[in-house]
Amino acid sequence: MTCIIVALLGVIVHWHMGKQTSIAAHSTDAEVRAFYTATLLNGYLRSVAEYLQIPMQGRPTDIYEDNQPARDIIEAGQITSRVKHMATATAIIHEEYKKGTV
C-alpha cells in the first residue's frame, strides 16, 4: 500500500492511498516505489504551481520518508545491486534530488 498526502501552503490538496503497481521484494523496495510515485506527482504539481505564477525555483518540495535504507538509496546518487531491479525509478529520484526539486 502507498499513501501520499500533498499539502500546499498548509492545506491538503491531494490524498491518495492504494495498492502499488507491483509486488515489493522488501519494505525498502516498497518505500522507494512510494517515493518514486510522490516524485512523479511532485513534478506535475510544480508545473501547475509555476503556471499559476507561484515561484518554485530554489524551493525544494518536502517529501517525508521514514525508512532510513530508502533515504540512503535516495541520497547515494547511484544504482547499487540492491536496487538494480528498480533502476529506472531510482534514477528518476536521483535526478530530481540532484536538481533540488525534492
Side-chain angles (χ1 to χ4, degrees):
M1 297 297 289
T2 298
C3 179
I4 298 171
I5 300 171
V6 178
L8 183 60
L9 302 174
V11 178
I12 294 176
V13 295
H14 179 79
W15 178 78
H16 172 78
M17 184 166 186
K19 292 182 181 180
Q20 292 189 346
T21 57
S22 61
I23 297 172
H26 41 76
S27 62
T28 302
D29 186 5
E31 294 285 342
V32 170
R33 290 179 191 277
F35 196 94
Y36 169 68
T37 302
T39 300
L40 294 180
L41 179 62
N42 179 53
Y44 170 74
L45 293 176
R46 287 178 74 88
S47 297
V48 171
E50 289 174 356
Y51 176 78
L52 296 173
Q53 299 179 352
I54 299 171
M56 299 303 290
Q57 286 291 68
R59 298 174 68 188
T61 303
D62 292 331
I63 298 177
Y64 296 98
E65 177 60 60
D66 64 349
N67 183 292
Q68 189 60 48
R71 290 175 56 105
D72 293 341
I73 290 167
I74 293 163
E75 294 170 356
Q78 62 184 0
I79 305 297
T80 63
S81 60
R82 183 171 178 158
V83 294
K84 67 181 178 184
H85 61 284
M86 54 183 178
T88 303
T90 306
I92 290 171
I93 291 170
H94 289 158
E95 183 177 308
E96 294 299 315
Y97 185 75
K98 285 180 186 175
K99 285 192 320 189
T101 58
V102 297

